[in-house]
């Protein structure tokens, strides 16, 4: 029995545009499609600009994917000849920002879109890395187990009921007093709720850290799973936010999603530029404010030292605590030797061993015990 | 599609753009369309963009165009229902209980209710515009609570029952995008990302806002500000800063300072961060000379 609703012919092209967006990884809810159609009806539309504006206003593409959205729009409504491919010349000397959401990729066309919405062509032929499947090691299990209660916390602004506390709970006290004819027999209290502090993990994935990269990514996955407000970025010659990929629960899935995002595995290191790029995006820079910032890197810098020093100083002013974990720091008596580590030493709160998962986990779990 | 009564007389994005201009707000095509759709479809308008691109100003201008009062709810971390919706006046309730003695008294009556912005907007949807400012600062619990408000436009007060808006109020939300907003929130709104204006538009905004500023000055400020926005600064100058800078430099110039120097001496109104000032200092002379050329 077919009770399929017949769409007006004119509406089909708009509905199929929504389908194309979805196939390219844009989240569009049915109510947005309805609003899109209503907007088009409302505006006329008089020309293609109205349709584009309606689509932007109602389908709400995230700003970092606006370019892909525009390309898909042109493909769908204006045909292939309207598309100009931006010349995407790869320059190893500049650090590029990579946001999640596959912003840099070629859009899928309607025909192939239905076959597999998840596979995507990459315009960049950079290194793609696969992680071997290994069992969870002991330090990581320890991190997963202990993180919820041992990661740093701070006092939030929301209040909760408490037996004792600095604020009077007038609402509850009043309710109680009604029962006793206005007599206050017991004063309710409120205290400020403890909130987990933000954690920002910046992982060096350059060639010199190659042997540690896989373990570090696994650790990042465990951390993101255990701490809902952790943010993770990788850097080498690029800066990539991988938090969203690491939120996938299954580790193999999460790591392969992250591996797909990051395209500068095992390359050079331009820490200063990567950190500057991080700070230049207000949204990213905000992740560092008041956060426990943990940088895992050997500090073998190929870029300019001034840029590095400046970026680390800025990070340190924003962060609640800035830790630099390097495999080079092996003992308590460690003194930095490389120029980069010497340059940043005075801005970091800790410069300690980051050569094994056990030492990183121990440091991260100890952060909460330090005085704020 | 029936056009809502709240925009009687404004029948297209262009008409709204014109009305906004009369309220001293220069909106581009995208913003005018999004605002028009929001008003006509009865959906909240969500404006995102870098700090200082004029999101809050847009809300104020929309309120002016509609001839309504703007109720502003500034979000902050930890904001909760009692700050956004309503609060009981506890001392008065307590006093009333004491004074009532054996008489019965409704301590949850209207006289004890302190109205907060969201309740005020619900109860007077025809005469107000509700601005929920910097929603990205509020935590996720508040965002979830807001979702409920924006879908049904109703609020339940346990002691009194549900307050429902007779008509959907006009709601404008702004976000600086310091964190990702929940998809569900974006979905319920008409969305617009406000970019920095084009040089032409920004120069016009400066001249409209600061009538003492000459066109050449406005253009020079716009050129300099555009360069500054390309630098990795912790706080890039917004439109308000550009207006202030043009005004301050004009003032200094009238007081006898020569041109590039007048700009340089008043840079403090454009860049308000010591780190940023320090960062651009070595290149500032060249930058200003180029902008005033």
């Amino acid at each position: 029995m077919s009770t399929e609703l017949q769409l007006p012919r004119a509406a089909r092209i708009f509905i199929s545009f929504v389908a194309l967006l979805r196939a390219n990884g844009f989240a569009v809810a049915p109510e947005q499609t309805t609003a899109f159609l209503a907007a088009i009806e409302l505006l006329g539309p008089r020309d293609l600009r109205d349709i584009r504006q309606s689509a932007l206003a109602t389908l709400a593409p995230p700003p970092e994917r606006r370019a892909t959205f525009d390309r898909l729009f042109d493909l769908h409504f204006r045909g292939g000849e309207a598309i100009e491919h931006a010349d995407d010349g790869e320059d190893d000397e500049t650090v590029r920002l990579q946001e999640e959401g596959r912003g840099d990729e070629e859009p899928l066309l309607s025909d192939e879109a239905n076959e597999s919405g998840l596979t995507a062509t990459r315009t960049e032929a950079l290194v793609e890395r696969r992680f071997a499947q290994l069992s969870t090691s002991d330090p990581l299990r320890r991190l997963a187990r202990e993180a919820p209660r041992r990661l740093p916390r701070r006092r939030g602004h929301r209040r909760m009921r408490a037996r004792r506390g600095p604020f009077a709970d007038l609402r509850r006290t009043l309710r109680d007093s009604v029962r006793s004819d206005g007599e206050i027999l017991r004063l309710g209290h409120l205290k400020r709720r403890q909130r987990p502090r933000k954690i920002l993990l910046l992982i060096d994935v350059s060639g010199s850290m190659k042997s540690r990269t896989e373990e570090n990514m696994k650790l990042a996955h465990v951390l993101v799973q255990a701490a809902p407000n952790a943010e993770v970025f990788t850097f080498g010659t690029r800066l990539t936010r991988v938090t969203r990929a690491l939120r996938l629960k299954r580790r193999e899935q999460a790591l392969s999603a992250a591996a797909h995002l990051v395209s500068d595995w095992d390359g050079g290191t331009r820490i200063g530029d990567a950190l500057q790029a991080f700070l230049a995006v207000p949204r990213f820079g905000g992740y560092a404010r008041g956060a426990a910032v943990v940088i895992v890197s050997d500090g073998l810098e190929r870029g300019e030292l001034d840029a590095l020093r400046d970026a680390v100083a800025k990070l340190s002013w924003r962060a609640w605590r800035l830790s630099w974990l390097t495999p080079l720091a092996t003992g308590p008596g460690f003194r930095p030797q490389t120029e980069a580590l010497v340059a940043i030493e005075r801005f970091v709160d800790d410069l300690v061993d980051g050569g094994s998962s056990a030492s990183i986990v121990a440091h991260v779990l100890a952060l909460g015990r330090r005085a704020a | 599609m029936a056009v809502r009564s709240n925009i009687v007389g404004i029948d297209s994005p262009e008409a709204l753009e014109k009305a906004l201009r009369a309220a001293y707000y220069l909106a581009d095509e995208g913003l005018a369309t999004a605002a028009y759709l929001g008003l006509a479809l009865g959906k909240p308008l969500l404006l995102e963009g870098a700090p200082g691109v004029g999101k809050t100003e847009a809300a104020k201008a929309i309120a002016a165009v509609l001839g309504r009062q703007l109720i502003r709810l500034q979000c902050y971390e930890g904001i909760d229902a009692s700050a956004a919706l309503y609060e009981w006046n506890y001392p008065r309730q307590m006093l009333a209980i004491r004074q009532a003695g054996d008489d019965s008294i409704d301590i949850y009556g209207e006289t004890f209710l302190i109205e907060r912005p969201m309740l005020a907007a619900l109860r007077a949807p025809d005469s107000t515009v509700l601005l929920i400012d910097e929603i990205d600062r509020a935590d996720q619990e508040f965002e979830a609570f807001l979702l409920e408000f924006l879908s049904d436009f109703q609020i339940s007060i346990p002691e009194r029952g549900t307050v429902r808006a007779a008509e959907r109020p006009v709601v404008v939300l702004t976000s600086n995008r310091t964190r990702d907003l929940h998809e569900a929130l974006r979905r319920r709104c008409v969305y617009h990302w406000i970019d920095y204006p084009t040089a032409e538009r920004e120069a016009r905004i400066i001249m409209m806002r600061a009538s003492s500023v000459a066109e050449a000055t406005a253009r020079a400020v716009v050129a300099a500000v555009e360069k500054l926005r390309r630098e990795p600064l912790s706080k890039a100058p917004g439109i308000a800063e550009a207006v202030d800078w043009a005004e301050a430099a004009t003032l200094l110039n009238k007081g006898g300072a020569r041109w590039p120097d007048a700009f340089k001496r008043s840079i403090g109104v454009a860049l308000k961060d010591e780190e940023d000032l320090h960062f651009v200092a070595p290149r500032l002379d060249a930058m200003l000379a180029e902008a005033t050329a």
Side-chain angles (χ1 to χ4, degrees), chain A residues 111-130:
Chain A
D111 300 343
E112 44 186 309
N114 296 332
E115 306 223 329
S116 156
L118 289 174
T119 50
T121 38
R122 296 187 66 81
T123 46
E124 299 173 88
L126 290 163
V127 191
E128 193 164 314
R129 183 157 172 152
R130 297 198 186 284

Side-chain angles (χ1 to χ4, degrees), chain A residues 27 29 31-32 35 38-39 41-43 46 49-50 53-54 56-58 60-64 99 154 156-158 170-171 173-175 177-178 181-184 193 195 241 244 276 279-280 282-283 287 310 314 317-318, chain B residues 1 3 12-14 29-30 33-34 36-37 40-41 43 48 51 77-80 86-88 90 93-94 97-98 107-108 139 141-142 158-159 177-180 183 186-191 193 232-234 275-276 279:
Chain A
E31 60 189 285
Q32 286 177 291
E41 195 186 337
L42 199 63
L43 291 185
R46 293 147 301 178
R49 285 221 311 264
D50 286 338
Q53 297 294 359
S54 307
L56 285 171
T58 54
E64 66 273 8
E99 260 275 28
R154 61 172 186 77
H157 291 280
R158 277 186 186 251
L170 291 174
R171 186 176 194 138
T173 307
L174 192 93
R175 271 171 174 273
S177 76
V178 170
D181 291 333
E183 220 46 64
I184 296 174
R193 197 178 287 183
R195 292 178 62 94
R241 178 175 178 238
R244 214 178 299 171
Q276 294 280 10
L279 290 164
R283 193 154 69 96
Y287 292 145
D310 182 52
K314 280 187 183 165
W317 292 328
R318 284 187 200 189
Chain B
M1 170 70 48
V3 173
S12 67
E14 290 76 23
E29 194 187 6
T33 310
Y36 173 75
L37 290 175
L41 299 172
K43 281 177 173 282
E48 279 198 317
E77 204 205 315
I79 187 172
D80 59 7
Y86 69 93
E87 182 69 294
W88 292 107
Y90 302 112
Q93 282 176 320
M94 197 56 81
I97 296 174
R98 292 282 162 97
I107 58 162
Y108 294 113
D139 45 31
E141 282 159 302
F142 187 74
E159 299 87 352
R177 211 154 187 263
T178 54
R179 68 174 174 84
D180 281 329
E183 276 299 328
R186 296 161 62 90
R187 224 159 56 203
R188 278 173 177 74
C189 300
V190 170
Y191 176 83
W193 171 265
L233 302 176
S234 58
E275 268 177 66
D276 288 350
F279 178 77

Side-chain angles (χ1 to χ4, degrees), chain A residues 65-87:
Chain A
R65 296 203 66 199
R66 174 69 197 273
T68 315
F69 182 91
D70 280 342
R71 257 188 288 168
L72 287 170
F73 186 91
D74 288 340
L75 261 178
H76 193 75
F77 290 103
R78 298 172 64 193
E81 89 282 358
I83 306 159
E84 284 174 37
H85 283 278
D87 189 28

Side-chain angles (χ1 to χ4, degrees), chain A residues 80-231:
Chain A
E81 89 282 358
I83 306 159
E84 284 174 37
H85 283 278
D87 189 28
D88 203 9
E90 189 53 40
D91 180 4
D92 186 45
E93 291 307 300
T94 52
V95 173
R96 288 188 31 183
L97 282 170
Q98 301 198 129
E99 260 275 28
E100 285 161 292
R102 311 187 312 208
D104 272 349
E105 288 150 12
E106 291 279 306
L108 286 167
L109 301 183
S110 320
D111 300 343
E112 44 186 309
N114 296 332
E115 306 223 329
S116 156
L118 289 174
T119 50
T121 38
R122 296 187 66 81
T123 46
E124 299 173 88
L126 290 163
V127 191
E128 193 164 314
R129 183 157 172 152
R130 297 198 186 284
F131 292 115
Q133 294 180 12
L134 287 173
S135 61
T136 308
S137 60
D138 280 343
L140 297 191
R141 267 204 294 270
R142 181 174 165 224
L143 179 64
R145 199 175 55 236
E146 297 183 13
R149 82 196 138 81
R150 295 216 13 214
L151 287 178
R153 305 175 80 79
R154 61 172 186 77
R155 269 190 312 162
H157 291 280
R158 277 186 186 251
R159 294 172 184 186
M160 59 186 279
R161 277 178 174 201
R163 197 169 295 214
R164 260 183 245 175
F167 312 104
D169 186 350
L170 291 174
R171 186 176 194 138
R172 190 155 58 105
T173 307
L174 192 93
R175 271 171 174 273
D176 289 349
S177 76
V178 170
R179 261 178 255 138
S180 47
D181 291 333
E183 220 46 64
I184 296 174
L185 301 175
R186 197 183 52 198
L187 189 63
H189 289 277
L190 295 170
K191 66 175 183 187
R192 284 169 72 181
R193 197 178 287 183
Q194 292 275 315
R195 292 178 62 94
R197 194 172 274 284
K198 285 185 284 186
I199 294 192
L200 172 66
L201 183 60
L202 294 153
I203 301 176
D204 186 341
V205 293
S206 63
S208 56
M209 290 287 288
K210 193 173 177 179
S211 61
R212 284 289 314 152
T213 298
E214 182 163 342
E215 281 298 316
N216 286 342
M217 290 304 288
K218 281 187 199 159
L219 192 146
H221 179 245
V222 174
L223 184 69
V224 168
Q225 292 299 316
N229 54 358
E231 280 290 335

Side-chain angles (χ1 to χ4, degrees), chain B residues 1 17 32 35 49 55 58 76 112 114 132 137 148 174 179 204 279:
Chain B
M1 170 70 48
E17 194 181 329
K55 301 183 290 294
Y76 52 88
F112 302 109
I114 303 170
I132 301 174
R137 285 183 182 223
E148 206 184 316
T174 74
R179 68 174 174 84
R204 273 163 53 208
F279 178 77

